[in-house]
Amino acid sequence: MKSKYVNPFTDFGFKKLFGEEANKHLLIDFLNQLLPPQHQIHDLFYKKTEQLGSRELDRKAIFDLYCESQEGHKFIVELQKAKQNFFKDRSVFYATFPIREQAERGEWNYQLQPVYCIALLDFVFEETHSERYLQHVQLRNEVCEVFYDKLTFIFIEMPRFQKKLDELNSHFDKWLYFIKHLENFDDIPQDLRESIFEQAFAVAEIACFNSQQLEEYENSLKYYRDLKNVIDTAASEAEERGIEIGEKRGIEIGKEQEKHQRIQIALQQGVLTPSQIASLFDVDEQLVLSLKQDI
């Protein structure tokens, strides 16, 4: 059975909901749930998602969404579908572009506008037992006081968000529930019968796509599913390999313990010297002497 609504974890679905000029009110409403009162967005405009360094040899960065508020605050919004090495480094690297582009020619006092890097993660970012699905990260000193409040990283780990519909306590909870379960909805739940979500459902309805949009979405969905399949297969193979290694190690430990017991029996009989026992069992004599002390 095909889904009624788009999968927001696909590139197409994410940008359809949050990356189009006609739907920017959805992005504004979502971002305002994450931002402090002094940085609430009244309006924003989208900027080029491809950023080049100041020199030809500098690496470039391609963001999912890059926008700026009416007040000049910068926002990078990323959808990350799979865990990757050096993800923190990548986030910091991306943050340098909206910082450096603020440099002015000639005399300049170095005053910067706030920069927010927001990552919606379709995986668990940190392998911990914590149930926290939302992290705000800023530069702090050794006593955890905020040293610089104009650069903020916000990570949302969607797999950790486990609230049910009747447990949603805030507008932000409703947004996360909407994003996580959108592809599985057949209709709009009563708890999400608010104007902003009804508009989001309308944008996400696949039946309203034209032929080109439908083709783009199908390609994006195929890529997403293939990627998930590769990740799931790798995880399954790693688990099976771990079990296999564990079983082999268990057999080895069992054999080793059995040998130690036989050495101790030989020592108790007192017929052979420790040196002779070591030679008989092909072990170091120090091991035999150590086992003799345990008798």
Side-chain angles (χ1 to χ4, degrees):
M1 179 178 174
K2 289 191 175 182
S3 300
K4 181 177 180 179
Y5 298 106
V6 73
N7 183 327
F9 292 101
T10 62
D11 289 332
F12 180 91
F14 182 70
K15 290 173 182 175
K16 181 66 178 174
L17 281 167
F18 298 119
E20 295 185 354
E21 182 69 26
N23 305 326
K24 69 179 182 180
H25 60 291
L26 300 179
L27 180 61
I28 291 172
D29 190 85
F30 177 69
L31 292 180
N32 278 341
Q33 310 311 308
L34 296 165
L35 302 175
Q38 69 272 23
H39 291 165
Q40 291 289 291
I41 304 171
H42 303 291
D43 194 11
L44 61 76
F45 61 92
Y46 295 99
K47 306 187 69 174
K48 288 174 57 178
T49 56
E50 183 174 347
Q51 297 289 306
L52 300 174
S54 57
R55 298 176 304 163
E56 186 177 351
L57 296 179
D58 285 349
R59 287 184 177 273
K60 68 179 180 181
I62 301 178
F63 316 131
D64 286 333
L65 299 178
Y66 181 34
C67 50
E68 182 176 315
S69 72
Q70 196 172 27
E71 294 77 17
H73 304 165
K74 319 288 184 180
F75 300 90
I76 294 172
V77 186
E78 283 282 300
L79 172 68
Q80 192 67 23
K81 293 180 283 294
K83 186 178 294 186
Q84 61 179 233
N85 293 331
F86 309 112
F87 179 70
K88 294 179 183 177
D89 301 69
R90 177 178 179 271
S91 299
V92 172
F93 174 72
Y94 272 21
T96 63
F97 288 89
I99 292 174
R100 292 165 64 190
E101 76 170 15
Q102 296 183 54
E104 298 178 6
R105 293 181 180 276
E107 292 293 327
W108 178 46
N109 63 5
Y110 291 94
Q111 184 178 11
L112 295 171
Q113 291 287 349
V115 172
Y116 284 88
C117 295
I118 298 157
L120 191 68
L121 311 179
D122 194 19
F123 60 89
V124 175
F125 180 43
E126 299 281 16
E127 296 295 346
T128 67
H129 297 293
S130 171
E131 296 180 357
R132 292 176 59 245
Y133 50 83
L134 177 64
Q135 293 190 57
H136 283 75
V137 181
Q138 289 182 321
L139 188 62
R140 295 174 179 268
N141 62 19
E142 68 276 8
V143 292
C144 287
E145 296 171 337
V146 176
F147 173 77
Y148 187 74
D149 66 353
K150 289 185 179 180
L151 177 59
T152 305
F153 298 91
I154 301 176
F155 300 105
I156 307 168
E157 300 174 65
M158 291 302 295
R160 293 193 188 278
F161 181 78
Q162 298 293 332
K163 290 187 178 183
K164 297 180 174 60
L165 195 58
D166 60 357
E167 297 173 333
L168 307 181
N169 299 318
S170 67
H171 194 67
F172 181 59
D173 281 352
K174 292 180 180 180
W175 263 118
L176 295 191
Y177 190 88
F178 168 84
I179 292 170
K180 184 166 186 174
H181 299 285
L182 177 58
E183 188 183 23
N184 301 317
F185 287 128
D186 294 322
D187 200 0
I188 305 176
Q190 190 59 41
D191 295 67
L192 297 183
R193 287 280 179 183
E194 298 177 17
S195 176
I196 193 70
F197 295 114
E198 289 177 346
Q199 293 173 59
F201 274 106
V203 170
E205 190 168 354
I206 297 172
C208 297
F209 295 172
N210 60 38
S211 58
Q212 181 180 345
Q213 291 172 328
L214 188 59
E215 182 180 358
E216 290 176 2
Y217 174 56
E218 291 293 344
N219 291 336
S220 186
L221 185 61
K222 182 180 183 302
Y223 173 79
Y224 172 78
R225 287 173 175 169
D226 288 348
L227 178 63
K228 294 290 283 186
N229 184 57
V230 169
I231 294 169
D232 292 344
T233 300
S236 178
E237 290 177 350
E239 183 178 356
E240 290 175 3
R241 180 61 178 159
I243 292 172
E244 182 182 344
I245 292 173
E247 288 176 346
K248 288 182 179 179
R249 180 57 182 155
I251 292 171
E252 291 173 359
I253 291 173
K255 289 180 177 179
E256 190 175 326
Q257 290 175 340
E258 182 183 356
K259 181 185 284 189
H260 290 181
Q261 290 173 352
R262 291 171 63 191
I263 291 172
Q264 287 178 324
I265 291 171
L267 286 167
Q268 288 172 337
Q269 290 174 343
V271 177
L272 301 175
T273 66
S275 176
Q276 291 172 324
I277 293 173
S279 177
L280 177 64
F281 287 95
D282 192 24
V283 297
D284 190 271
E285 187 175 349
Q286 286 299 119
L287 173 62
V288 177
L289 295 173
S290 174
L291 291 172
K292 184 177 182 181
Q293 294 177 353
D294 294 335
I295 298 176

